[in-house]
Amino acid sequence: ITAGSALDVEAASTISMSPGATASLAGVARFVAAGDLALTGINAGKVSIISQSGSLHDAGDVTTDIRASDVRLKAGSQVGTLGAGVDNAIEVDAARLSLHSGLGANISNARALEIGTVDAVLQAVVFAGGTQTVSDAAQTGLVSGGTAVMQVTSGDLVVSDAVNVAGDLKLN
């Protein structure tokens, strides 16, 4: 998928990208599903991904899952996968990230990262014609109802907003 300044994908159930698929644009990419999202190859200026009751999964290790300046992730369940023999982080290349998950999180970021505040505002196309403003409110810090792993593979990790994790926490 290639878009100009906005990409808004919404599903009543799940969203699943095939391994190697890409979604590229200069502006805001927004994906919202009631259930699980399997994602990969999202390249945008800003990204907001919401799973209302499911999880965010890596759709394949062919490309970086999310590449953007600012990333906002929210899941009712997990972001990435944690567990003996099944670890699979969401691979991110972002400067700033906010993450809220109901159960746990596993993120690997490719550059210096700030855990901070991220919002998303875009002009979405409506079926009746024209556009409407869609806004995902500012989300702060890192919140997880379970264990959270945040790995930065190059550069510093800066925590600018609160980190609240119910389980174990690994910041690396």
Side-chain angles (χ1 to χ4, degrees), residues 43-59:
N43 299 292
K46 187 179 281 192
V47 172
S48 178
I49 301 176
I50 302 167
S51 169
Q52 294 164 343
S53 63
S55 297
L56 308 181
H57 300 286
D58 184 339

Side-chain angles (χ1 to χ4, degrees), residues 31 34 37 39 41-42 54-55 62 75-76 80 97 102 104 108 118 124 143 161 170:
F31 293 78
L37 283 98
L39 50 103
I42 300 169
S55 297
V62 177
L97 180 135
S108 177
V118 180
V143 176
D161 282 316
K170 180 177 182 179

Side-chain angles (χ1 to χ4, degrees), residues 118-160:
V118 180
D119 67 352
V121 179
L122 65 132
Q123 293 298 312
V125 175
V126 294
F127 288 112
T131 61
Q132 71 179 15
T133 300
V134 175
S135 178
D136 293 336
Q139 176 177 284
T140 61
L142 169 62
V143 176
S144 176
T147 296
V149 175
M150 181 74 61
Q151 179 179 348
V152 174
T153 60
S154 177
D156 295 331
L157 175 62
V158 176
V159 179
S160 296

Side-chain angles (χ1 to χ4, degrees), residues 10-106:
E10 297 187 33
S13 58
T14 63
I15 296 173
S16 183
M17 296 177 73
S18 297
T22 61
S24 299
L25 65 148
V28 179
R30 179 178 183 264
F31 293 78
V32 179
D36 291 349
L37 283 98
L39 50 103
T40 189
I42 300 169
N43 299 292
K46 187 179 281 192
V47 172
S48 178
I49 301 176
I50 302 167
S51 169
Q52 294 164 343
S53 63
S55 297
L56 308 181
H57 300 286
D58 184 339
D61 289 324
V62 177
T63 63
T64 299
D65 299 318
I66 304 167
R67 190 179 312 270
S69 178
D70 293 344
V71 175
R72 181 186 187 278
L73 303 175
K74 185 172 184 176
S77 187
Q78 295 186 91
V79 176
T81 307
L82 285 166
V86 296
D87 278 357
N88 194 357
I90 300 293
E91 292 90 18
V92 179
D93 184 346
R96 182 177 314 125
L97 180 135
S98 174
L99 184 151
H100 289 195
S101 70
L103 293 179
N106 189 359

